[in-house]
């Protein structure tokens, strides 16, 4: 009795619960998973400052079983990291797993999917982004000409305003027609 380690204060747990789609129990489970990635780096008890400043390198996060086989694992880390390099603080990690949870609404998932596919981070999915996506997904199993044809076809079909790139609204319109989007944009903790 009295030897229990308190990972977060009640206020921290309340704050995390308010800004994620997780229960307190799930938040503690996420912290456990985060700590398992680098126990030498991540403290058992997290102060507010440490929750946003202690960062686990992207290379460690990419090795998680849930991400290991995902060709977009690096882009997922980069999309959620505040440093843009893919290194995640606990709060970044919590945000990522919250967005990939079953409870996250579709519009939040669409926003982050767009962010992951927007390789050049210009707020649009252009031809170069599509080529990067195709290379990432197919691991060079298609020829450059096939990549070009697919990227051209996607722009042709989805670019409603004719500017040669996809806005988030045009991207959302395409994604909403994909019946398996919600079930595939998911990580179970």
């Amino acid at each position: 009795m009295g030897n229990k380690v308190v990972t977060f204060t009640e206020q921290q747990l309340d704050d995390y619960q308010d800004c994620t789609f997780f229960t307190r129990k799930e938040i503690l489970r996420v912290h456990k998973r985060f700590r398992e990635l680098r126990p030498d780096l991540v403290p058992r008890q997290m102060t507010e400052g440490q929750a946003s400043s202690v960062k686990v390198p992207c290379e460690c996060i990419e090795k998680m079983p849930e991400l290991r086989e995902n060709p977009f694992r690096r882009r997922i880390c980069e999309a959620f990291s505040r440093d843009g390099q893919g290194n995640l603080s606990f709060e970044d990690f919590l945000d990522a797993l919250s967005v990939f949870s079953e409870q996250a609404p579709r519009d939040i998932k669409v926003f982050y999917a767009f962010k992951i596919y927007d390789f050049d981070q210009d707020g649009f999915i252009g031809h170069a982004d599509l080529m990067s996506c195709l290379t990432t997904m197919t691991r060079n199993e298609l020829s450059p000409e096939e990549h070009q044809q697919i990227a051209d076809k996607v722009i042709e079909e989805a670019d409603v305003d004719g500017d040669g790139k996809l806005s988030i609204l045009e991207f959302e319109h395409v994604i909403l027609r994909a019946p398996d989007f919600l079930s595939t944009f998911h990580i179970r903790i």
Side-chain angles (χ1 to χ4, degrees):
M1 194 165 135
N3 288 341
K4 185 175 184 202
V5 175
V6 177
T7 305
F8 298 107
T9 65
E10 288 298 313
Q11 184 60 53
Q12 283 175 297
L13 280 174
D14 285 344
D15 291 347
Y16 291 142
Q17 198 170 1
D18 287 346
C19 65
T20 67
F21 304 103
F22 289 135
T23 65
R24 287 170 169 250
K25 186 177 178 181
E26 290 168 326
I27 292 165
L28 293 172
R29 195 173 330 133
V30 169
H31 177 265
K32 183 177 183 236
R33 291 297 307 280
F34 186 67
R35 189 166 190 291
E36 288 169 352
L37 294 170
R38 283 292 301 270
D40 60 313
L41 191 63
V42 179
R44 211 177 288 279
Q45 292 178 272
M46 296 285 278
T47 65
E48 277 190 55
Q50 288 173 320
S52 60
S53 64
V54 174
K55 296 181 190 283
V56 170
C58 182
E59 296 75 32
C60 297
I61 295 162
E62 289 179 316
K63 293 176 184 168
M64 288 177 57
E66 297 86 349
L67 289 179
R68 193 177 308 141
E69 299 302 318
N70 188 321
F72 288 97
R73 62 190 170 276
R74 166 80 42 173
R75 285 294 305 141
I76 290 168
C77 291
E78 290 168 353
F80 285 95
S81 71
R82 290 182 197 159
D83 70 7
Q85 303 301 306
N87 306 311
L88 300 183
S89 69
F90 171 71
E91 291 179 354
D92 298 336
F93 187 74
L94 184 65
D95 287 343
L97 291 184
S98 180
V99 167
F100 280 98
S101 73
E102 290 177 348
Q103 297 83 8
R106 185 181 64 206
D107 60 327
I108 299 284
K109 289 180 178 288
V110 168
F111 173 81
Y112 279 97
F114 183 86
K115 196 171 174 179
I116 291 164
Y117 296 150
D118 182 14
F119 278 76
D120 61 12
Q121 301 171 11
D122 67 351
F124 295 95
I125 296 177
H127 199 272
D129 296 314
L130 289 171
M131 295 295 279
S132 296
C133 284
L134 289 165
T135 300
T136 301
M137 280 191 296
T138 64
R139 297 181 175 128
N140 295 318
E141 291 174 8
L142 299 177
S143 70
E145 295 77 26
E146 290 169 314
H147 283 165
Q148 183 73 39
Q149 289 174 338
I150 294 168
D152 290 346
K153 190 69 171 166
V154 168
I155 296 286
E156 179 187 319
E157 301 250 336
D159 179 23
V160 176
D161 63 8
D163 63 356
K165 55 192 175 191
L166 304 183
S167 68
I168 191 158
L169 292 174
E170 291 166 326
F171 177 78
E172 183 175 26
H173 182 72
V174 170
I175 287 295
L176 295 180
R177 289 186 281 165
D180 59 344
F181 171 69
L182 287 177
S183 64
T184 57
F185 202 80
H186 173 257
I187 296 174
R188 178 169 281 121
I189 56 160

